[in-house]
Structure formats: structure tokens, C-alpha cells
Amino acid sequence: MATTTCSPTAMFGAPMLVMGGVNTIDDEFSPRLSADERTLYFARRLAGNFTGPMHVYMATRPTATSIFDAGIALLINSTASDADPMIGTDDRTLLFSSDRITGSGEFDLYWADRASAGVAFISASPVPDVNSAGSEVHPFFASDGELWFAYRKAGFDSALHLRRSVRAGVGFGPPVPVAELDSAGDDMWPVLTSDKRTIYFSSSQIDGSAQGKADVWVARRSSATAVFDLPVNVTEVNSAATDDVGWISPDGCRLYLSSNRGTMRGYEIYMAKR
């Protein structure tokens, strides 16, 4: 893990493209990293194929400060759209979203388990107790196993809203809204710090600080169970394009996101440092 230290409330520097083979002429989305920052999970879609399927990829690097390799497609991919990968803190459980026909609705959350780190994920099944007739996307495992995600009712004609669900046995409890972070726009891509007192998320809400389309926002609270304060736009990482947050390093110093801010290419993966 990188040893850089920073102030957890300092401003981030300008987002820079993640170097190595991860970014290509195709679209790359939803960067989520392992705790040691040596494995990057993300989704890729053919360039310009806006209605085409996405697939889950994994890229690795020898150290937390070296560049990533080109990445490989995971065996759990299907002929449907598989996206939004999120690895658990134990490095043995992978969450993702998919619209495969075995689900309950339009997009559902799936998970795959493996015996140990380094072994391939082979098969996946729907996450119990959280899927609906609508869409469940953008899953995030909090440090205590709580599941956060974005939900939209069936029909694709309404906004996304944040939900959370506590771990209950082999599944999860009923999903509940995060009302204090709800807006009239799409609220999505929840990313919590390890102490659960800070959340980064993306939203298309409009106010005086919005940069355009989806922006990265941050909200803080006094404890891991308290209500979040009003969210604040993370202006230094946002652009007039779409900016979807993906992951925050355990020390809070590095923020990963995907964005189509580039003028000559589609969605790519960026990283901003404090």
C-alpha cells in the first residue's frame, strides 16, 4: 500500500489519467481497487457502442505506485451487460451489476466467491434480499460489510437514489433510503471511507456549485451511524462532462473516477491526489 500521508480534508489535485494499459480507445468505467491498491476492477464497453454490453475486467500492478497492466476480462462475464465490479475487503467476494435474464428486474446485483485471493471467480449468483423489479447498480461494500448501491424503480424513466442494506446472515436486510442525500437528480456511485464517516458519490443535482452533468459530491457525519450533513460539490475534480466517482484509498489520499471529459476519447479512468 502507498505510504503517502495527507490531510483528509485537503483539496485534491487535478485528476490525471491512470497510466498503463487500463485506458484504451474503448470506454472504461467504474474503477474499484483492492485494499492494497495493486488490483483494479473496472468495466469496459466498445467505443461508441452506447447501447452495447459492458464487461468486467481486472488489471494488476506489482506495487501500489507502479502502472497497471492492460487487464483481462473475468470468467464471470456473460452475454448480457456485466458492470460495476466491487471487491470485498477480504479479497474473496466480488459484487457487480448485470441485466442477465436470471435476475429479478432490469439490473440486479450479483456476487461471486472464491476460496482465496488469486483464484479466478468462476460463477455468480444474485445477491439475496436486495434485488427488485427495477434496477440495482453501483454496489459498494463498506468496511463493516454493509452494502450500499443505487436503486431505480422499474421503467428507466426515473432517477437513481442511494440505498444501504446491513449484512444479515448469508444475505442482507431490507434496503433503506439514504434520505438526507436524496436529490431531484440521479444520486449514484456511493463510496465510503473506512470509518464510514465520509461518503463520496456522484449526482446530477443542480445547484450553484454543479459543474455539469454528473459531478462528484462529498458528505460527512459525526459517526458511522449518524445522519450525513449536506453534501458539498468536490469542485476541483469535476468537469463539464460526466464524472463518476469510483474509489477512495484507505488513507483518503487518492480518489479514482471515470469521466468522458477528454475531447478525443470516451470514458477513461482518472486518479486525483491530495
Side-chain angles (χ1 to χ4, degrees):
M1 187 178 299
T3 58
T4 306
T5 58
C6 66
S7 167
T9 58
M11 292 183 66
F12 290 98
M16 305 295 290
L17 281 171
V18 169
M19 303 305 293
V22 171
N23 288 312
T24 68
I25 60 170
D26 292 327
D27 289 325
E28 282 82 29
F29 305 90
S30 58
R32 310 282 209 189
L33 280 79
S34 59
D36 63 7
E37 300 185 57
R38 293 171 55 191
T39 304
L40 169 65
Y41 294 87
F42 64 100
R44 179 175 285 157
R45 179 183 65 194
L46 291 177
N49 189 7
F50 301 115
T51 60
M54 291 180 282
H55 298 296
V56 175
Y57 282 72
M58 178 187 74
T60 60
R61 57 185 176 182
T63 70
T65 56
S66 53
I67 64 173
F68 285 103
D69 61 28
I72 57 171
L74 299 190
L75 296 175
I76 56 172
N77 284 311
S78 69
T79 56
S81 193
D82 301 307
D84 313 338
M86 172 68 199
I87 191 70
T89 54
D90 63 358
D91 207 27
R92 292 174 53 186
T93 302
L94 185 75
L95 280 167
F96 63 99
S97 69
S98 180
D99 62 352
R100 55 185 69 183
I101 60 174
T102 53
S104 303
E106 293 160 346
F107 272 86
D108 289 306
L109 299 184
Y110 284 75
W111 56 3
D113 286 316
R114 60 185 178 185
S116 61
V119 177
F121 292 104
I122 302 297
S123 60
S125 59
V127 176
D129 308 321
V130 299
N131 293 315
S132 70
S135 291
E136 286 77 30
V137 292
H138 312 162
F140 184 87
F141 263 138
S143 56
D144 60 356
E146 187 177 47
L147 174 62
W148 289 65
F149 59 95
Y151 159 81
R152 176 169 50 210
K153 68 180 182 180
F156 292 104
D157 57 354
S158 61
L160 289 162
H161 302 284
L162 298 180
R163 296 286 187 270
R164 62 180 182 85
S165 181
V166 298
R167 194 66 188 260
V170 297
F172 295 90
V176 296
V178 188
E180 69 269 27
L181 301 180
D182 211 18
S183 76
D186 285 319
D187 302 311
M188 51 199 172
W189 293 111
V191 177
L192 283 85
T193 54
S194 57
D195 62 6
K196 296 182 62 179
R197 293 175 57 184
T198 302
I199 184 171
Y200 294 89
F201 66 102
S202 289
S203 177
S204 62
Q205 61 184 287
I206 300 172
D207 76 351
S209 299
Q211 305 292 302
K213 298 186 178 178
D215 279 356
V216 179
W217 295 73
V218 63
R220 295 180 172 87
R221 58 185 177 181
S222 58
S223 73
T225 57
V227 172
F228 282 101
D229 296 334
L230 289 175
V232 176
N233 190 285
V234 189
T235 54
E236 67 269 26
V237 304
N238 291 315
S239 70
T242 296
D243 301 300
D244 290 329
V245 66
W247 194 77
I248 184 74
S249 60
D251 60 8
C253 295
R254 292 163 296 285
L255 185 73
Y256 287 77
L257 61 147
S258 58
S259 177
N260 61 346
R261 65 183 63 195
T263 57
M264 300 299 293
R265 298 167 71 167
Y267 284 88
E268 296 179 301
I269 296 174
Y270 292 79
M271 189 265 285
K273 289 183 180 181
R274 282 191 166 116

